[in-house]
Amino acid sequence: MQRIEKRAEPSELTQWRIKFRNDPNFGYGLLCGKEAHAAVLRSLLAEQGGICAYTGIAIRDKVGTRMATAHIEHIFPQKHCSPAESVSYDNLLACYPGPNAPASNFGATFKKDWPSAEERMHFVSPVTQGCEERFRFNKRGEISAARADDQAAKQTILRLGLDS
């Protein structure tokens, strides 16, 4: 897993949040389809160097097209977040596959609603300092925890299907 250094959120998201903060439907669902949503995805792809935050798959798409191969992923799932957390730039990543693509047996769609608030300590996030040092790859590209006692790395591999 490559570490992602979060940058400042795009101004479109900041302005959207100000405009809709008092809306009774405030949250990620209200953001979807808006220009701010596309701006967030463009910004995430730029800060991630065009790769999926979890799998490292290259994302070669034109944001906003039907051919998109990435979607906005919540580090901590919407199911376990407040509406404000669901639109917090610090909680968002760009991940493979694109919207409306079939679920895969690895990565963001495999992760589903994990981790819950109680399980966050068992998740190694790509925005966590030192995350890249917690995993090892062998010559066949297989992944494992760098340390045998790192249960969070093992659980992350399992829950993201990174060993599939």
Side-chain angles (χ1 to χ4, degrees), residues 22-35:
N22 295 321
D23 189 295
N25 297 313
F26 182 79
Y28 188 74
L30 188 62
L31 176 65
C32 291
K34 306 282 193 290
E35 174 52 36

Side-chain angles (χ1 to χ4, degrees), residues 116-137:
S116 68
E118 298 79 26
E119 298 169 310
R120 287 183 182 188
M121 68 187 120
H122 302 296
F123 176 53
V124 179
S125 167
V127 299
T128 303
Q129 187 73 32
C131 67
E132 66 279 11
E133 298 165 5
R134 297 181 70 178
F135 302 95
R136 292 288 178 255
F137 296 88

Side-chain angles (χ1 to χ4, degrees), residues 15-72:
Q15 293 304 311
W16 177 89
R17 191 179 294 108
I18 292 167
K19 181 178 179 180
F20 291 101
R21 69 177 166 234
N22 295 321
D23 189 295
N25 297 313
F26 182 79
Y28 188 74
L30 188 62
L31 176 65
C32 291
K34 306 282 193 290
E35 174 52 36
H37 186 265
V40 168
L41 185 54
R42 283 191 301 271
S43 181
L44 293 168
L45 288 170
E47 78 184 10
Q48 292 174 210
I51 64 166
C52 172
Y54 295 141
T55 65
I57 292 174
I59 298 169
R60 297 181 184 96
D61 65 335
K62 295 179 182 175
V63 175
T65 70
R66 291 184 180 183
M67 301 299 289
T69 60
H71 71 279
I72 295 176

Side-chain angles (χ1 to χ4, degrees), residues 153-164:
K154 289 178 180 181
Q155 194 64 215
T156 299
I157 292 167
L158 179 70
R159 295 294 190 125
L160 293 177
L162 299 179
D163 58 349
S164 80

Side-chain angles (χ1 to χ4, degrees), residues 47-117:
E47 78 184 10
Q48 292 174 210
I51 64 166
C52 172
Y54 295 141
T55 65
I57 292 174
I59 298 169
R60 297 181 184 96
D61 65 335
K62 295 179 182 175
V63 175
T65 70
R66 291 184 180 183
M67 301 299 289
T69 60
H71 71 279
I72 295 176
E73 173 71 4
H74 291 79
I75 298 170
F76 301 115
Q78 294 177 72
K79 180 178 179 177
H80 307 298
C81 289
S82 69
E85 288 173 314
S86 76
V87 292
S88 169
Y89 190 72
D90 288 338
N91 190 36
L92 304 176
L93 300 169
C95 288
Y96 172 89
N100 304 317
S104 62
N105 61 348
F106 62 90
T109 56
F110 190 74
K111 174 182 169 266
K112 297 181 183 175
D113 290 331
W114 184 77
S116 68

